[in-house]
Amino acid sequence: MLKLRGIYAEDYLYEFVNKHRGLSIYEIAKRLNWSTGKVHAIVKKLENMGLVKTEITVENNRIKKKVYPVDWRDILPEDVK
């Protein structure tokens, strides 16, 4: 199991989401061998920073929270666009 904490875990998860778009929090946790709580907390931080967005879907009568990176153009300040 990869033992990353703090900003290292955030950076790693952000890069992972960029490479694997649209996975659910559960799927991310399973692939990284992390707890769903850890993934959820980091996704929430990244979402608050404006780096990722989440989408709630229903598949097979189950609610899934899927994670997507925000387009880099949407992150740039208005005066740079």
Coordinates of all heavy atoms in Angstrom, one line a residue:
M1 N 0.8 -1.2 0.0 CA 0.0 0.0 0.0 C 0.9 1.2 0.0 O 1.8 1.3 0.7 CB -0.9 0.0 1.2 CG -1.6 1.3 1.4 SD -3.2 1.3 2.2 CE -3.0 0.8 3.8
L2 N 0.5 2.2 -0.8 CA 1.3 3.4 -0.9 C 0.9 4.3 0.2 O -0.3 4.7 0.4 CB 0.9 4.1 -2.3 CG 1.8 5.3 -2.6 CD1 3.2 5.0 -2.7 CD2 1.3 5.8 -4.0
K3 N 1.8 4.7 1.1 CA 1.5 5.5 2.3 C 1.9 6.9 2.1 O 3.0 7.3 2.3 CB 2.2 4.9 3.5 CG 1.8 3.5 3.8 CD 1.8 3.2 5.2 CE 1.5 1.8 5.4 NZ 0.6 1.5 6.5
L4 N 1.0 7.7 1.5 CA 1.2 9.1 1.3 C 0.3 9.9 2.2 O -0.8 9.5 2.5 CB 0.9 9.5 -0.2 CG 1.8 8.9 -1.2 CD1 1.3 9.2 -2.6 CD2 3.2 9.4 -1.1
R5 N 0.8 11.0 2.7 CA 0.0 11.9 3.6 C 0.1 13.3 3.1 O 1.0 13.7 2.4 CB 0.5 11.8 5.0 CG 0.3 10.5 5.6 CD 0.8 10.4 6.9 NE 0.6 9.1 7.5 CZ 0.4 8.8 8.7 NH1 0.3 9.7 9.6 NH2 0.2 7.6 9.1
G6 N -0.9 14.1 3.6 CA -0.9 15.6 3.3 C -0.9 15.9 1.8 O -1.5 15.3 1.0
I7 N 0.0 16.9 1.5 CA 0.0 17.4 0.2 C 0.5 16.4 -0.8 O 0.1 16.4 -2.0 CB 0.9 18.7 0.1 CG1 0.7 19.4 -1.2 CG2 2.4 18.4 0.3 CD1 1.1 20.9 -1.2
Y8 N 1.3 15.4 -0.4 CA 1.8 14.4 -1.3 C 0.6 13.5 -1.7 O 0.6 13.1 -2.9 CB 2.9 13.5 -0.6 CG 4.1 14.3 -0.2 CD1 4.4 14.6 1.1 CD2 4.9 14.9 -1.2 CE1 5.5 15.3 1.5 CE2 6.1 15.6 -0.8 CZ 6.3 15.9 0.5 OH 7.4 16.6 0.9
A9 N -0.2 13.2 -0.8 CA -1.4 12.4 -1.2 C -2.3 13.2 -2.1 O -2.9 12.6 -3.0 CB -2.2 11.9 0.1
E10 N -2.5 14.5 -1.8 CA -3.3 15.3 -2.7 C -2.8 15.4 -4.1 O -3.5 15.2 -5.0 CB -3.4 16.7 -2.1 CG -4.2 16.8 -0.8 CD -4.1 18.1 -0.1 OE1 -3.7 19.1 -0.8 OE2 -4.3 18.2 1.1
D11 N -1.5 15.6 -4.2 CA -0.9 15.7 -5.5 C -1.0 14.3 -6.3 O -1.3 14.3 -7.4 CB 0.6 16.0 -5.4 CG 0.9 17.5 -5.0 OD1 -0.1 18.3 -5.1 OD2 2.0 17.8 -4.6
Y12 N -0.7 13.3 -5.5 CA -0.8 11.9 -6.2 C -2.2 11.6 -6.6 O -2.4 11.2 -7.8 CB -0.4 10.9 -5.2 CG -0.2 9.5 -5.8 CD1 1.0 9.2 -6.4 CD2 -1.2 8.6 -5.7 CE1 1.1 7.9 -7.0 CE2 -1.1 7.3 -6.3 CZ 0.1 7.0 -7.0 OH 0.2 5.8 -7.6
L13 N -3.2 12.0 -5.8 CA -4.6 11.7 -6.2 C -5.0 12.6 -7.4 O -5.7 12.2 -8.3 CB -5.5 11.9 -5.0 CG -7.0 11.5 -5.3 CD1 -7.1 10.1 -5.7 CD2 -7.8 11.8 -4.0
Y14 N -4.6 13.8 -7.4 CA -4.9 14.7 -8.5 C -4.4 14.2 -9.8 O -5.1 14.2 -10.8 CB -4.4 16.2 -8.2 CG -4.6 17.1 -9.3 CD1 -5.9 17.5 -9.6 CD2 -3.6 17.6 -10.1 CE1 -6.2 18.4 -10.7 CE2 -3.8 18.5 -11.1 CZ -5.1 18.9 -11.4 OH -5.4 19.7 -12.4
E15 N -3.1 13.8 -9.8 CA -2.5 13.2 -11.0 C -3.3 11.9 -11.4 O -3.5 11.7 -12.6 CB -1.0 12.9 -10.8 CG -0.2 14.1 -10.7 CD -0.2 15.0 -11.9 OE1 -0.3 14.4 -13.0 OE2 -0.3 16.2 -11.8
F16 N -3.7 11.1 -10.4 CA -4.4 9.9 -10.7 C -5.7 10.2 -11.4 O -6.1 9.5 -12.3 CB -4.6 9.1 -9.4 CG -5.2 7.7 -9.6 CD1 -4.5 6.6 -9.9 CD2 -6.6 7.6 -9.5 CE1 -5.1 5.4 -10.1 CE2 -7.2 6.3 -9.7 CZ -6.4 5.3 -10.0
V17 N -6.4 11.2 -10.8 CA -7.7 11.6 -11.4 C -7.5 12.1 -12.8 O -8.4 11.8 -13.7 CB -8.4 12.6 -10.5 CG1 -9.6 13.2 -11.2 CG2 -8.9 12.0 -9.2
N18 N -6.5 12.8 -13.1 CA -6.2 13.3 -14.4 C -6.0 12.1 -15.4 O -6.4 12.2 -16.6 CB -5.0 14.2 -14.5 CG -5.4 15.6 -14.2 OD1 -6.1 16.3 -15.0 ND2 -4.9 16.1 -13.0
K19 N -5.4 11.0 -15.0 CA -5.1 9.9 -15.8 C -6.3 9.0 -15.9 O -6.5 8.2 -16.9 CB -3.9 9.1 -15.3 CG -2.6 9.9 -15.5 CD -1.4 9.2 -14.9 CE -0.2 10.0 -15.0 NZ 0.9 9.4 -14.3
H20 N -7.2 8.9 -14.9 CA -8.3 8.0 -14.8 C -9.6 8.8 -14.5 O -10.1 8.7 -13.5 CB -8.0 7.0 -13.7 CG -6.7 6.3 -13.8 ND1 -6.5 5.2 -14.7 CD2 -5.6 6.5 -13.2 CE1 -5.3 4.8 -14.6 NE2 -4.7 5.5 -13.7
R21 N -10.0 9.5 -15.5 CA -11.2 10.4 -15.4 C -12.5 9.5 -15.2 O -12.7 8.5 -15.9 CB -11.3 11.3 -16.6 CG -10.2 12.1 -16.8 CD -10.1 12.7 -18.2 NE -8.9 13.4 -18.4 CZ -8.8 14.7 -18.5 NH1 -9.9 15.4 -18.5 NH2 -7.7 15.3 -18.6
G22 N -13.4 10.0 -14.3 CA -14.7 9.5 -14.2 C -14.8 8.2 -13.4 O -15.9 7.6 -13.4
L23 N -13.8 7.9 -12.6 CA -13.9 6.8 -11.7 C -14.7 7.3 -10.4 O -14.6 8.4 -10.0 CB -12.5 6.3 -11.2 CG -11.7 5.6 -12.3 CD1 -10.3 5.2 -11.7 CD2 -12.4 4.4 -12.8
S24 N -15.3 6.3 -9.8 CA -16.0 6.7 -8.5 C -15.0 6.7 -7.4 O -13.9 6.2 -7.5 CB -17.1 5.7 -8.2 OG -16.5 4.4 -7.9
I25 N -15.4 7.3 -6.3 CA -14.5 7.4 -5.1 C -14.2 5.9 -4.7 O -13.0 5.6 -4.3 CB -15.2 8.2 -4.0 CG1 -15.2 9.6 -4.4 CG2 -14.5 7.9 -2.6 CD1 -15.8 10.6 -3.4
Y26 N -15.1 5.0 -4.7 CA -14.9 3.6 -4.3 C -13.9 3.0 -5.3 O -12.9 2.3 -4.8 CB -16.2 2.8 -4.4 CG -16.0 1.4 -4.2 CD1 -15.8 0.8 -2.9 CD2 -16.0 0.5 -5.2 CE1 -15.6 -0.5 -2.7 CE2 -15.8 -0.9 -5.1 CZ -15.6 -1.4 -3.8 OH -15.4 -2.7 -3.6
E27 N -14.0 3.2 -6.6 CA -13.1 2.6 -7.6 C -11.7 3.2 -7.4 O -10.7 2.5 -7.5 CB -13.6 2.9 -9.0 CG -14.9 2.2 -9.3 CD -15.5 2.7 -10.6 OE1 -15.5 3.9 -10.9 OE2 -16.1 1.9 -11.3
I28 N -11.6 4.5 -7.1 CA -10.3 5.1 -6.9 C -9.6 4.5 -5.6 O -8.5 4.1 -5.7 CB -10.4 6.6 -6.7 CG1 -10.8 7.3 -8.0 CG2 -9.1 7.2 -6.2 CD1 -11.2 8.7 -7.9
A29 N -10.4 4.4 -4.6 CA -9.9 3.8 -3.3 C -9.4 2.4 -3.5 O -8.3 2.0 -3.1 CB -10.9 3.8 -2.2
K30 N -10.2 1.6 -4.3 CA -9.8 0.2 -4.5 C -8.5 0.1 -5.4 O -7.6 -0.7 -5.0 CB -11.0 -0.5 -5.3 CG -10.8 -2.0 -5.4 CD -12.2 -2.6 -5.4 CE -12.1 -4.1 -5.5 NZ -12.4 -4.7 -4.3
R31 N -8.4 0.9 -6.4 CA -7.2 0.9 -7.2 C -5.9 1.3 -6.5 O -4.8 0.9 -6.7 CB -7.4 1.7 -8.5 CG -8.3 1.1 -9.5 CD -8.3 1.9 -10.8 NE -9.3 1.3 -11.7 CZ -9.3 1.6 -13.0 NH1 -8.4 2.5 -13.5 NH2 -10.2 1.1 -13.7
L32 N -6.1 2.3 -5.6 CA -4.9 2.8 -4.8 C -4.7 2.1 -3.5 O -3.7 2.3 -2.9 CB -5.1 4.3 -4.5 CG -5.2 5.3 -5.7 CD1 -5.4 6.7 -5.3 CD2 -3.9 5.1 -6.6
N33 N -5.6 1.2 -3.2 CA -5.6 0.5 -1.9 C -5.6 1.5 -0.7 O -4.9 1.3 0.2 CB -4.4 -0.4 -1.9 CG -4.5 -1.5 -0.9 OD1 -5.6 -1.9 -0.5 ND2 -3.4 -2.1 -0.4
W34 N -6.4 2.5 -0.9 CA -6.6 3.5 0.2 C -8.1 3.3 0.7 O -8.9 2.7 0.1 CB -6.5 4.9 -0.3 CG -5.1 5.3 -0.7 CD1 -4.0 4.6 -0.7 CD2 -4.8 6.6 -1.3 NE1 -2.9 5.3 -1.2 CE2 -3.4 6.6 -1.5 CE3 -5.5 7.8 -1.6 CZ2 -2.7 7.7 -2.0 CZ3 -4.8 8.8 -2.1 CH2 -3.4 8.8 -2.3
S35 N -8.4 3.9 1.8 CA -9.7 3.8 2.4 C -10.6 4.8 1.6 O -10.1 5.8 1.1 CB -9.8 4.2 3.8 OG -9.5 5.6 4.0
T36 N -11.9 4.5 1.5 CA -12.8 5.4 0.8 C -12.9 6.8 1.6 O -13.1 7.8 1.0 CB -14.2 4.8 0.7 OG1 -14.7 4.4 1.9 CG2 -14.2 3.7 -0.3
G37 N -12.7 6.7 2.9 CA -12.7 8.0 3.7 C -11.6 8.9 3.3 O -11.8 10.1 3.2
K38 N -10.4 8.3 3.1 CA -9.2 9.1 2.8 C -9.4 9.7 1.4 O -9.2 10.9 1.2 CB -8.0 8.2 2.8 CG -6.7 8.9 2.3 CD -5.5 8.0 2.5 CE -4.2 8.8 2.1 NZ -3.0 8.0 2.4
V39 N -9.9 8.9 0.4 CA -10.1 9.4 -0.9 C -11.2 10.5 -0.9 O -11.0 11.6 -1.5 CB -10.5 8.3 -1.9 CG1 -10.9 8.8 -3.2 CG2 -9.4 7.3 -2.0
H40 N -12.3 10.3 -0.2 CA -13.4 11.3 -0.1 C -12.9 12.6 0.5 O -13.2 13.6 -0.1 CB -14.5 10.7 0.7 CG -15.7 11.6 0.7 ND1 -15.9 12.5 1.7 CD2 -16.7 11.8 -0.1 CE1 -17.0 13.2 1.5 NE2 -17.5 12.8 0.4
A41 N -12.1 12.5 1.5 CA -11.6 13.7 2.1 C -10.7 14.5 1.2 O -10.8 15.7 1.1 CB -10.8 13.4 3.4
I42 N -9.8 13.8 0.5 CA -8.9 14.5 -0.4 C -9.6 15.0 -1.6 O -9.4 16.1 -2.1 CB -7.7 13.5 -0.9 CG1 -6.9 13.2 0.4 CG2 -6.9 14.2 -1.9 CD1 -5.8 12.1 0.1
V43 N -10.6 14.3 -2.1 CA -11.4 14.8 -3.3 C -12.1 16.0 -2.9 O -12.2 17.0 -3.6 CB -12.4 13.7 -3.8 CG1 -13.5 14.3 -4.7 CG2 -11.6 12.6 -4.5
K44 N -12.7 16.1 -1.6 CA -13.4 17.2 -1.2 C -12.4 18.4 -1.1 O -12.8 19.6 -1.5 CB -13.9 16.9 0.2 CG -14.9 17.9 0.7 CD -15.6 17.4 2.0 CE -16.7 18.4 2.4 NZ -17.4 17.9 3.6
K45 N -11.2 18.2 -0.6 CA -10.2 19.3 -0.6 C -9.9 19.8 -2.0 O -9.8 21.0 -2.3 CB -8.9 18.8 0.0 CG -8.8 18.9 1.5 CD -7.4 18.6 1.9 CE -7.3 18.6 3.4 NZ -5.9 18.3 3.9
L46 N -9.6 18.9 -2.9 CA -9.3 19.2 -4.3 C -10.5 19.9 -5.0 O -10.3 20.9 -5.8 CB -9.0 18.0 -5.1 CG -7.6 17.3 -4.7 CD1 -7.5 16.0 -5.5 CD2 -6.4 18.2 -4.9
E47 N -11.7 19.5 -4.6 CA -12.9 20.2 -5.2 C -13.0 21.6 -4.6 O -13.3 22.5 -5.4 CB -14.1 19.4 -4.8 CG -15.4 19.7 -5.6 CD -16.5 18.7 -5.4 OE1 -16.5 18.0 -4.3 OE2 -17.3 18.6 -6.3
N48 N -12.7 21.8 -3.4 CA -12.8 23.2 -2.8 C -11.7 24.1 -3.4 O -11.9 25.3 -3.5 CB -12.6 23.1 -1.3 CG -13.8 22.5 -0.6 OD1 -14.9 22.6 -1.1 ND2 -13.6 22.0 0.6
M49 N -10.6 23.5 -3.8 CA -9.5 24.2 -4.5 C -9.8 24.5 -5.9 O -9.1 25.2 -6.6 CB -8.2 23.5 -4.4 CG -7.7 23.4 -2.9 SD -6.1 22.9 -2.5 CE -5.6 21.5 -3.4
G50 N -10.9 23.9 -6.5 CA -11.3 24.1 -7.8 C -10.5 23.2 -8.8 O -10.5 23.5 -10.0
L51 N -9.9 22.2 -8.4 CA -9.1 21.3 -9.3 C -9.8 20.1 -9.8 O -9.5 19.6 -10.9 CB -7.8 20.8 -8.5 CG -6.9 21.9 -8.1 CD1 -5.8 21.4 -7.2 CD2 -6.3 22.7 -9.3
V52 N -10.8 19.7 -9.1 CA -11.7 18.5 -9.6 C -13.1 18.9 -9.4 O -13.5 19.8 -8.6 CB -11.3 17.2 -8.9 CG1 -9.9 16.8 -9.1 CG2 -11.7 17.2 -7.4
K53 N -14.0 18.1 -10.1 CA -15.4 18.3 -9.9 C -16.0 16.9 -9.7 O -15.4 15.9 -10.2 CB -16.1 19.0 -11.0 CG -15.9 18.3 -12.4 CD -16.5 19.2 -13.5 CE -16.2 18.5 -14.8 NZ -16.6 19.3 -15.9
T54 N -17.1 16.8 -9.0 CA -17.7 15.5 -8.8 C -19.1 15.5 -9.4 O -19.7 16.5 -9.6 CB -17.8 15.1 -7.3 OG1 -18.5 16.1 -6.6 CG2 -16.5 14.9 -6.7
E55 N -19.5 14.3 -9.8 CA -20.9 14.1 -10.4 C -21.5 12.9 -9.8 O -20.9 11.8 -9.7 CB -20.7 13.9 -11.9 CG -21.9 13.7 -12.7 CD -21.6 13.5 -14.2 OE1 -21.1 14.4 -14.8 OE2 -21.9 12.3 -14.6
I56 N -22.7 13.0 -9.3 CA -23.4 11.9 -8.7 C -24.3 11.2 -9.8 O -25.0 11.9 -10.5 CB -24.3 12.4 -7.5 CG1 -23.3 13.0 -6.4 CG2 -25.1 11.3 -7.0 CD1 -24.0 13.5 -5.2
T57 N -24.1 9.9 -9.9 CA -24.8 9.1 -10.8 C -25.4 7.9 -10.1 O -25.0 7.6 -9.0 CB -23.9 8.6 -12.0 OG1 -22.9 7.7 -11.4 CG2 -23.2 9.7 -12.7
V58 N -26.4 7.3 -10.8 CA -27.0 6.1 -10.2 C -26.8 5.0 -11.2 O -27.2 5.1 -12.4 CB -28.5 6.3 -10.0 CG1 -29.2 5.0 -9.5 CG2 -28.8 7.4 -9.0
E59 N -26.1 3.9 -10.8 CA -25.9 2.8 -11.6 C -26.3 1.5 -10.9 O -25.8 1.3 -9.7 CB -24.4 2.7 -12.0 CG -23.9 3.8 -12.9 CD -22.4 3.8 -13.2 OE1 -21.8 2.7 -13.0 OE2 -21.9 4.8 -13.6
N60 N -27.1 0.7 -11.5 CA -27.6 -0.5 -10.8 C -28.2 -0.2 -9.4 O -27.9 -0.9 -8.5 CB -26.5 -1.6 -10.7 CG -25.9 -2.0 -12.1 OD1 -26.7 -2.0 -13.0 ND2 -24.7 -2.2 -12.1
N61 N -29.0 0.8 -9.4 CA -29.6 1.2 -8.1 C -28.7 1.6 -7.0 O -29.0 1.6 -5.9 CB -30.6 0.2 -7.6 CG -31.8 0.0 -8.5 OD1 -32.2 0.9 -9.1 ND2 -32.2 -1.3 -8.6
R62 N -27.4 2.0 -7.4 CA -26.4 2.5 -6.4 C -26.0 3.9 -6.8 O -25.8 4.2 -8.0 CB -25.2 1.5 -6.4 CG -25.5 0.2 -6.0 CD -24.3 -0.7 -5.9 NE -24.3 -1.3 -4.6 CZ -23.3 -1.9 -4.0 NH1 -22.2 -1.8 -4.5 NH2 -23.5 -2.5 -2.8
I63 N -25.8 4.7 -5.8 CA -25.4 6.1 -6.0 C -23.9 6.0 -6.1 O -23.2 5.5 -5.2 CB -25.9 7.0 -4.9 CG1 -27.4 7.1 -5.0 CG2 -25.3 8.4 -5.1 CD1 -28.0 7.8 -3.8
K64 N -23.3 6.6 -7.1 CA -21.8 6.7 -7.3 C -21.4 8.2 -7.4 O -22.1 8.9 -8.2 CB -21.3 5.9 -8.5 CG -21.5 4.4 -8.3 CD -20.8 3.7 -9.4 CE -20.9 2.2 -9.2 NZ -20.2 1.5 -10.3
K65 N -20.4 8.6 -6.7 CA -19.8 9.9 -6.9 C -18.6 9.8 -7.7 O -17.6 9.3 -7.3 CB -19.5 10.5 -5.5 CG -19.2 11.9 -5.5 CD -19.0 12.4 -4.1 CE -19.3 13.9 -4.0 NZ -19.2 14.4 -2.6
K66 N -18.7 10.3 -9.0 CA -17.6 10.1 -9.9 C -16.8 11.4 -9.9 O -17.3 12.5 -9.7 CB -18.1 9.9 -11.3 CG -18.9 8.5 -11.4 CD -19.0 8.1 -12.8 CE -19.6 6.7 -12.7 NZ -19.5 6.0 -14.0
V67 N -15.5 11.3 -10.1 CA -14.5 12.4 -10.0 C -13.9 12.7 -11.4 O -13.4 11.8 -12.0 CB -13.4 12.1 -9.0 CG1 -12.5 13.3 -8.7 CG2 -14.0 11.6 -7.7
Y68 N -13.9 14.0 -11.7 CA -13.3 14.4 -13.0 C -12.4 15.6 -12.7 O -12.7 16.5 -11.9 CB -14.4 14.9 -13.9 CG -15.4 13.8 -14.3 CD1 -16.5 13.7 -13.6 CD2 -15.1 13.0 -15.4 CE1 -17.5 12.7 -13.9 CE2 -16.0 12.0 -15.8 CZ -17.2 11.9 -15.0 OH -18.1 10.9 -15.3
P69 N -11.3 15.7 -13.4 CA -10.4 16.9 -13.3 C -11.1 18.1 -14.0 O -11.9 18.0 -14.9 CB -9.2 16.6 -14.0 CG -9.6 15.5 -15.0 CD -10.7 14.8 -14.4
V70 N -10.9 19.3 -13.5 CA -11.4 20.5 -14.1 C -10.5 20.9 -15.2 O -9.2 20.7 -15.1 CB -11.4 21.7 -13.0 CG1 -11.8 23.0 -13.7 CG2 -12.4 21.3 -11.9
D71 N -11.0 21.3 -16.3 CA -10.2 21.7 -17.5 C -9.3 22.8 -17.1 O -9.6 23.8 -16.4 CB -11.2 22.2 -18.6 CG -10.4 22.4 -19.9 OD1 -9.9 23.6 -20.1 OD2 -10.3 21.5 -20.7
W72 N -8.0 22.7 -17.5 CA -7.0 23.7 -17.1 C -7.4 25.1 -17.5 O -7.0 26.1 -16.8 CB -5.6 23.3 -17.7 CG -5.6 23.4 -19.2 CD1 -5.9 22.4 -20.1 CD2 -5.2 24.5 -20.0 NE1 -5.7 22.8 -21.4 CE2 -5.3 24.1 -21.4 CE3 -4.8 25.8 -19.7 CZ2 -5.0 24.9 -22.4 CZ3 -4.5 26.7 -20.8 CH2 -4.6 26.2 -22.1
R73 N -8.2 25.3 -18.6 CA -8.6 26.7 -19.0 C -9.5 27.3 -17.9 O -9.6 28.5 -17.8 CB -9.2 26.7 -20.3 CG -8.2 26.4 -21.5 CD -8.9 26.2 -22.8 NE -9.5 24.9 -22.9 CZ -9.1 23.9 -23.6 NH1 -8.0 24.1 -24.3 NH2 -9.7 22.8 -23.6
D74 N -10.3 26.4 -17.2 CA -11.2 26.9 -16.2 C -10.5 27.3 -14.9 O -11.0 28.0 -14.1 CB -12.3 25.9 -15.9 CG -13.1 25.6 -17.1 OD1 -13.3 26.5 -18.0 OD2 -13.7 24.5 -17.2
I75 N -9.3 26.9 -14.8 CA -8.5 27.2 -13.5 C -7.8 28.5 -13.7 O -7.5 29.2 -12.7 CB -7.5 26.0 -13.3 CG1 -8.2 24.7 -13.0 CG2 -6.6 26.4 -12.1 CD1 -7.3 23.5 -12.9
L76 N -7.5 28.9 -14.9 CA -6.7 30.2 -15.1 C -7.5 31.4 -14.6 O -8.7 31.4 -14.8 CB -6.4 30.3 -16.6 CG -5.4 29.4 -17.2 CD1 -5.4 29.6 -18.7 CD2 -4.1 29.5 -16.6
P77 N -6.8 32.4 -14.1 CA -7.5 33.6 -13.7 C -8.1 34.3 -14.9 O -7.5 34.2 -16.0 CB -6.4 34.5 -13.1 CG -5.3 33.5 -12.8 CD -5.4 32.4 -13.7
E78 N -9.1 35.1 -14.8 CA -9.8 35.8 -15.9 C -8.8 36.7 -16.7 O -8.9 36.8 -17.9 CB -11.0 36.6 -15.4 CG -12.1 35.8 -15.0 CD -12.7 34.9 -16.1 OE1 -12.8 35.4 -17.3 OE2 -13.0 33.7 -15.9
D79 N -7.9 37.4 -16.0 CA -7.0 38.3 -16.7 C -6.0 37.6 -17.6 O -5.3 38.1 -18.4 CB -6.3 39.2 -15.7 CG -5.4 38.5 -14.7 OD1 -5.7 37.3 -14.4 OD2 -4.5 39.1 -14.2
V80 N -5.8 36.3 -17.4 CA -4.9 35.5 -18.2 C -5.5 34.8 -19.4 O -4.9 34.6 -20.4 CB -4.2 34.4 -17.3 CG1 -3.3 33.5 -18.1 CG2 -3.5 35.0 -16.1
K81 N -6.8 34.6 -19.3 CA -7.6 33.9 -20.4 C -7.6 34.7 -21.6 O -7.7 35.6 -22.1 CB -9.0 33.6 -19.9 CG -9.1 32.5 -18.9 CD -10.5 32.2 -18.5 CE -10.5 31.2 -17.4 NZ -11.9 30.9 -17.0

